[in-house]
């Protein structure tokens, strides 16, 4: 399918896909081959010169991986996709493609811990300068721009605070300054938010999360808006080698077919759970973009098609009570990661964001009492009963 369908339910199944040309397989075959034979020397040379279409070597391209790349590029309205071995590999490919020695980047401070750690502790060794700041305030971004700023990186909603950044406003600013805007869209998925349509230049995902949806694959993807950006990023990815494996691609492609269904069910659960938690006497605060109490509820309504299924909260009894609660859940699983059919609960300060120093965490709003839930597709009543019994044990 090339034309845009009316519904995301159609796009996730057919977008960018065509029947297998060999045998008409309805499901894309797994081309588990590292290399592809040439008919003769002339064909091999023509493929390397880019004069003939076709596959050469799986690090450079593979039919199963292409099917996944076409699917996500279609959903994100991008020029093309580049699947990577992990979400971190998508990010590092982007960073290396855009940043030079002595260049500067601005990033959302409440990002997934390793997303800033890779810059702060590794790329800084190569002379790259950075500011991880509150990107929900456009004036704050303007104040941190430097003559050598070469990248604006947003994670919205942010992991784990669920704070939003205004993609359209950031895109306008980035355009004015000639800086590429990259958005990590992992927490929304393209079903709920399309950053490229809001003016971003590149969108990335950890495919490990909602797109795959079954907690059984690690993967990532990069989708730029233009051919020029695609060529730059593809060159870096191919040279750095963070490519995906065909079997991994096939599993994610299978997961994407039910993305819209899973997102619909999990966010229906999330809004009800957020309301339940907000009204619970032992809960001190809840952050969920679908609640009118969320500081950016209006922005969420404007830039997202739904509020998603990630939420965080703190208990009256602080982290001691929170730890008792996460030890007491029976249906929710105590595990990091997110976006799967099963509900997961975790404590960012001691788990996903433990590598970020405490003062940086606190400045970013990742308080010690913050508990994060990735709401899954179970029945709402079962999830509510589980949280209710776990909360009762913290009293
Ligand atoms: N971007 C976001 C927003 C993420 O949440 C993660 C992983 C990544 C990038 C990196 O992707 P990966 O390499 O793991 O595929 N977030 C995780 C989390 O919150 N818990 O465990 C992993």
């Amino acid at each position: 399918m090339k034309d845009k369908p009316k519904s995301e339910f159609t796009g996730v199944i057919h977008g960018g896909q065509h029947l297998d040309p060999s045998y008409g397989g309805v499901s894309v075959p797994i081309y588990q081959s590292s290399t592809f034979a040439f008919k003769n020397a002339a064909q091999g040379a023509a493929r390397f010169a880019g004069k003939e279409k076709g596959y050469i070597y799986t690090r450079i391209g593979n039919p199963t991986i292409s099917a996944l790349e076409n699917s996500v590029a279609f959903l994100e309205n991008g020029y093309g996709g580049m699947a990577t071995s992990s979400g971190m590999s998508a990010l590092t490919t982007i960073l290396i493609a855009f940043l030079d020695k002595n260049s500067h980047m601005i990033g959302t401070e409440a990002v997934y811990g390793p997303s800033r750690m890779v810059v702060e502790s590794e790329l800084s060794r190569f002379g790259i300068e950075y500011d991880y700041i509150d990107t929900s305030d456009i004036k704050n971004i303007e104040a941190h721009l430097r003559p050598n700023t070469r990248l604006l990186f947003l994670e919205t909603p942010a992991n784990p605070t669920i704070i939003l950044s205004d993609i359209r406003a950031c895109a306008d600013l980035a355009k004015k300054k000639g800086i590429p805007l990259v958005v990590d869209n992992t927490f929304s998925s393209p079903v709920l938010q399309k950053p490229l349509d809001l003016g971003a230049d590149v969108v990335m995902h950890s495919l490990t999360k909602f797109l795959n949806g079954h907690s059984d694959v690690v993967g990532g993807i990069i989708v730029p808006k233009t051919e020029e950006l695609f060529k730059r990023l593809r060159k870096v990815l191919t040279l750095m080698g963070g490519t995906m494996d065909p079997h991994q691609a096939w599993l994610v492609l299978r997961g994407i077919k039910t993305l819209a269904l899973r997102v619909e069910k999990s966010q229906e659960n999330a809004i009800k759970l957020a309301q339940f938690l907000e009204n619970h006497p032992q809960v001190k605060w809840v952050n969920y973009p679908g609640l009118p109490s969320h500081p950016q509820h209006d922005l969420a309504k404007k830039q997202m098609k739904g509020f998603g299924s990630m939420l965080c909260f703190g208990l009256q009894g602080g982290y001691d009570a929170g730890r008792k609660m996460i030890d007491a859940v029976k249906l929710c699983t105590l595990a990091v990661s997110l976006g799967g059919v099963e509900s997961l609960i975790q404590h960012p300060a001691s788990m996903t964001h433990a590598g970020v120093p405490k003062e940086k965490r606190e400045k970013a709003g990742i308080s010690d009492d913050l508990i994060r839930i990735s709401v899954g597709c179970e029945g709402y009543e079962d999830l509510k009963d589980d949280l209710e019994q776990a909360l009762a044990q913290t009293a």
Side-chain angles (χ1 to χ4, degrees):
M1 171 181 255
K2 282 198 176 138
D3 296 338
K4 287 292 160 192
K6 289 186 180 145
S7 162
E8 296 290 336
F9 288 99
T10 312
V12 292
I13 296 168
H14 297 290
Q17 302 304 300
H18 50 76
L19 286 180
D20 157 43
S22 305
Y23 296 104
V26 170
S27 164
V28 174
I30 307 175
Y31 284 91
Q32 196 71 42
S33 184
S34 59
T35 193
F36 296 85
F38 309 127
K39 271 190 253 156
N40 49 41
Q43 187 183 52
R47 290 219 181 141
F48 268 94
K51 290 186 181 143
E52 185 192 289
K53 280 199 164 178
Y55 293 95
I56 297 172
Y57 181 61
T58 285
R59 179 162 46 74
I60 303 171
N62 171 289
T64 314
I65 300 172
S66 295
L68 168 65
E69 292 170 337
N70 292 341
S71 166
V72 184
F74 183 93
L75 295 174
E76 288 287 10
N77 293 328
Y79 174 80
M82 281 155 274
T84 57
S85 57
S86 65
M88 286 308 295
S89 169
L91 175 65
T92 52
T93 301
I94 291 166
L95 296 171
I96 288 165
F98 289 123
L99 298 172
D100 300 313
K101 190 176 176 210
N102 300 329
S103 61
H104 170 252
M105 69 164 284
I106 294 178
T108 305
E109 63 185 338
V111 277
Y112 172 53
S115 295
R116 66 184 282 182
M117 284 152 62
V118 71
V119 175
E120 292 180 334
S121 68
E122 304 305 324
L123 294 193
S124 61
R125 294 190 292 111
F126 300 92
I128 285 164
E129 301 165 17
Y130 56 84
D131 276 302
Y132 284 94
I133 58 165
D134 175 8
T135 52
S136 70
D137 175 1
I138 192 82
K139 289 206 172 69
N140 196 31
I141 301 177
E142 266 183 297
H144 284 87
L145 285 169
R146 299 183 194 170
N148 59 340
T149 305
R150 295 285 176 272
L151 178 66
L152 176 55
F153 177 79
L154 304 179
E155 198 181 277
T156 178
N159 182 357
T161 54
I162 328 290
I163 290 297
L164 312 186
S165 295
D166 185 332
I167 299 173
R168 171 89 60 197
C170 289
D172 290 347
L173 176 65
K175 201 168 198 172
K176 208 165 77 187
K177 302 287 176 187
I179 300 165
L181 172 65
V182 176
V183 178
D184 184 333
N185 201 23
T186 300
F187 266 40
S188 291
S189 92
V191 165
L192 297 182
Q193 178 170 277
K194 297 195 194 291
L196 300 180
D197 289 357
L198 297 168
D201 298 288
V202 179
V203 61
M204 64 154 278
H205 286 272
S206 164
L207 293 175
T208 319
K209 320 299 183 208
F210 290 98
L211 282 100
N212 179 59
H214 294 78
S215 306
D216 51 10
V217 174
V218 169
I221 199 157
I222 308 167
V223 180
K225 184 78 185 161
T226 65
E227 182 179 5
E228 192 190 348
L229 288 169
F230 181 87
K231 284 187 172 159
R232 172 75 193 128
L233 287 155
R234 177 64 97 188
K235 182 179 174 201
V236 174
L237 176 61
T238 303
L239 289 174
M240 301 296 291
T243 323
M244 185 175 261
D245 175 81
H247 186 248
Q248 203 182 350
W250 184 84
L251 281 166
V252 180
L253 198 52
R254 187 166 75 151
I256 289 175
K257 309 273 180 217
T258 56
L259 174 65
L261 283 166
R262 289 184 282 102
V263 164
E264 186 177 53
K265 175 64 185 162
S266 61
Q267 75 171 353
E268 182 190 307
N269 283 340
I271 182 85
K272 290 193 210 156
L273 280 184
Q275 286 162 352
F276 162 75
L277 288 169
E278 198 171 43
N279 291 315
H280 196 285
Q282 272 154 254
V283 176
K284 194 168 176 189
W285 58 271
V286 181
N287 229 7
Y288 178 70
L291 292 175
S293 59
H294 188 284
Q296 295 151 305
H297 182 55
D298 289 338
L299 175 62
K301 283 197 276 191
K302 204 171 75 179
Q303 79 179 12
M304 298 169 75
K305 283 193 223 154
F307 303 116
S309 47
M310 297 302 299
L311 60 88
C312 62
F313 62 95
L315 299 184
Q316 300 288 2
Y319 179 53
D320 285 346
R323 189 163 52 196
K324 279 192 203 150
M325 184 188 170
I326 59 178
D327 276 341
V329 288
K330 291 182 179 142
L331 181 61
C332 295
T333 303
L334 173 56
V336 298
S337 200
L338 55 117
V341 288
E342 57 289 287
S343 297
L344 302 179
I345 193 163
Q346 68 116 356
H347 177 238
S350 67
M351 297 173 188
T352 47
H353 294 70
V356 180
K358 187 174 164 75
E359 66 284 359
K360 286 187 181 173
R361 273 202 316 264
E362 284 185 348
K363 188 177 164 289
I366 309 166
S367 49
D368 278 350
D369 69 337
L370 187 153
I371 305 284
R372 188 188 80 182
I373 303 188
S374 167
V375 180
C377 297
E378 300 93 339
Y380 167 69
E381 289 299 329
D382 295 316
L383 287 172
K384 189 202 78 174
D385 288 354
D386 189 36
L387 294 188
E388 201 160 37
Q389 67 80 23
L391 282 165
Q393 294 189 44
T394 70

